Amino acid sequence: MNRLLLLTGLLLCILSTSCIPHKDIVYLQNKNTAIDSTQALVEQPKLYRVQINDILNIRIKVLDQENVTIFNPVGEGSLNASGEERAYFDGFTVDIHGNIRIPDLGKFNVLGYTCEDIETLIKDKLLEDQFKSTANIFITVKLSGLRYTASGEVGSPGTQVVYQERVNIFEAIANAGEIPLTGDKKDVQIIRQYPQGQQIHHLDLTDANVMQSPYYYIQPNDIIYVKPLKQKIWGTGTTGVQTLTTLFSVVSFLTTIILVINR
């Protein structure tokens, strides 16, 4: 009887520690407020500043569009090229020195500038060298897609390109196939590129306050890494039923071995 109670207690302990708790898999929980309270969540978008290896899409328009044909790429590559390939060939890549080179206008150092800042730089240069204010110059500068990489415990690891101005961490993960039950939602790592090197930032996606984080919105060239939970490493199952089935299989196997030995 004592052995049975000991075995039962051991099984219950293993079962309680190997299952994934509900609080570890639910997004955006109000951890610091009552369940029936209303919490105002304020997003904190931050203007993106251009980094090395970014690809910029630049379009220049004036009253006589033929005068700016040289500045606007016309897509001389393959017509079967994907959107990402066209962006690479038609866009302006920021080199390791932070420069882009525009035909007839020369080099512009854009490292650390916003897209609006770059629009102003180009417009001022055109008005100085090429056109008068009466030309009604209109310039747009955008990132040629937001490119990032998702790895670890996600449904579809790999590089993703999203053609939007802003993408938050939940949208980025959804595009990568979501985080399975065995992924650690409490410590999602963002590996971000800076002029001085790379830094790792941590996000708890189960906490509603993540929306107030300065890293809530991803940036081009971010790497999103999701660690596996210990339950996956142990291999005991992600739910109580799976864990119990595994334990009963082990117990049955051990019992069979003992019976065979005692014969």
Side-chain angles (χ1 to χ4, degrees):
M1 176 63 74
N2 291 334
R3 290 183 178 179
L4 180 60
L5 291 175
L6 181 62
L7 181 60
T8 302
L10 180 62
L11 290 176
L12 290 175
C13 289
I14 296 175
L15 183 64
S16 63
T17 57
S18 59
C19 298
I20 300 175
H22 182 261
K23 63 183 177 63
D24 290 348
I25 61 177
V26 177
Y27 290 125
L28 299 174
Q29 301 171 53
N30 293 333
K31 295 187 176 183
N32 299 322
T33 58
I35 294 177
D36 61 349
S37 67
T38 301
Q39 183 180 18
L41 297 175
V42 181
E43 297 180 356
Q44 295 186 354
K46 187 177 180 181
L47 287 176
Y48 177 69
R49 297 189 177 277
V50 171
Q51 301 286 340
I52 294 170
N53 294 327
D54 282 349
I55 301 177
L56 302 178
N57 181 287
I58 300 175
R59 291 294 181 268
I60 301 173
K61 296 181 180 180
V62 296
L63 288 177
D64 188 354
Q65 195 61 21
E66 290 186 1
N67 292 331
V68 293
T69 303
I70 190 173
F71 304 121
N72 298 319
V74 293
E76 297 177 355
S78 171
L79 294 177
N80 297 322
S82 65
E84 187 176 358
E85 291 171 339
R86 284 182 175 274
Y88 175 77
F89 290 109
D90 291 347
F92 297 86
T93 302
V94 182
D95 65 23
I96 60 173
H97 304 293
N99 297 322
I100 58 172
R101 184 174 178 274
I102 301 178
D104 205 40
L105 293 183
K107 290 184 178 180
F108 290 81
N109 189 280
V110 297
L111 185 63
Y113 285 69
T114 66
C115 289
E116 290 78 8
D117 293 337
I118 299 170
E119 290 174 2
T120 301
L121 282 175
I122 297 173
K123 183 175 182 180
D124 290 345
K125 183 66 174 177
L126 286 172
L127 289 174
E128 179 184 340
D129 296 347
Q130 305 281 344
F131 299 96
K132 297 179 180 180
S133 58
T134 54
N136 291 333
I137 301 173
F138 180 77
I139 300 172
T140 58
V141 177
K142 294 183 179 181
L143 291 170
S144 295
L146 200 158
R147 184 176 183 271
Y148 67 95
T149 300
S151 63
E153 287 295 293
V154 292
S156 301
T159 299
Q160 308 284 336
V161 179
V162 183
Y163 296 99
Q164 294 178 207
E165 292 290 332
R166 297 194 306 169
V167 177
N168 65 47
I169 185 64
F170 292 104
E171 293 172 318
I173 288 175
N175 284 328
E178 263 295 343
I179 300 176
L181 290 178
T182 52
D184 188 354
K185 297 181 177 70
K186 286 187 172 182
D187 188 19
V188 174
Q189 297 181 4
I190 306 291
I191 304 172
R192 179 160 295 175
Q193 174 180 290
Y194 293 96
Q196 65 273 21
Q198 291 183 322
Q199 294 183 19
I200 299 177
H201 307 289
H202 301 264
L203 294 177
D204 180 358
L205 302 188
T206 67
D207 189 345
N209 288 319
V210 71
M211 296 179 67
Q212 299 176 0
S213 169
Y215 314 110
Y216 179 67
Y217 288 97
I218 68 169
Q219 293 186 3
N221 306 312
D222 274 357
I223 299 174
I224 302 171
Y225 174 64
V226 182
K227 298 184 297 184
L229 290 170
K230 293 180 180 179
Q231 284 83 350
K232 179 174 182 178
I233 300 173
W234 293 339
T236 52
T238 57
T239 65
V241 174
Q242 291 176 348
T243 302
L244 197 58
T245 301
T246 301
L247 291 176
F248 274 127
S249 299
V250 173
V251 171
S252 299
F253 177 71
L254 293 176
T255 303
T256 302
I257 292 177
I258 293 173
L259 291 176
V260 170
I261 293 175
N262 293 334
R263 280 183 179 181

